[in-house]
Amino acid sequence: MSTLNVDALVGNTSANAITVRGEGSATTSLQQGLAKQWCNWNGATTIADSFNTTSATDNASGDSTMTIATAMVSINFTVGGLSKSNDNGGVRFAAMNFPANATAIPSTTTYRIHTQYDNTTLRDAELQTVHIFGDLA
């Protein structure tokens, strides 16, 4: 096995043209396959760990706005996440989704998410994680 030690990789034909071999003979863009932002927080404002995250704003119970440090090129990025909550009823299912109102449309530097329990009540969860994929500006 060989080891390659470098400080930077730049595509030969353009800065974003680095491909890697994936499964089988398929190749994929290295840049497209990297998470551009992620965060692990308590559903309010305490961030345990993150990457490219400026802040988690607690708008209301179960309603958070994530602020991205380095902007995305457009609002056409993907968001994924999981949440888990413990309460006096035991561990409960908590789902994350985008709010339905127009003020919650993602921008290149923020996106808003709702966390709700299985009974549809918006509520902060003790553990929330999010990540986005897309192109940085």
Side-chain angles (χ1 to χ4, degrees), residues 51-137:
F51 171 73
N52 197 25
T53 305
T54 301
S55 64
T57 303
D58 187 10
N59 303 310
S61 184
D63 182 355
S64 300
T65 297
M66 306 307 296
T67 302
I68 305 163
T70 300
M72 303 301 288
V73 74
S74 75
I75 63 169
N76 298 318
F77 54 87
T78 65
V79 178
L82 293 172
S83 57
K84 172 184 142 338
S85 191
N86 298 317
D87 64 10
N88 57 7
V91 176
R92 300 186 60 180
F93 167 75
M96 295 173 70
N97 57 53
F98 288 120
N101 61 43
T103 62
I105 296 171
S107 75
T108 58
T109 57
T110 64
Y111 58 96
R112 195 166 174 176
I113 54 174
H114 277 171
T115 303
Q116 61 192 70
Y117 281 7
D118 52 2
N119 64 1
T120 70
T121 302
L122 289 180
R123 231 171 119 182
D124 292 336
E126 285 77 20
L127 171 63
Q128 292 189 198
T129 63
V130 290
H131 55 271
I132 62 175
F133 288 87
D135 296 324
L136 291 172

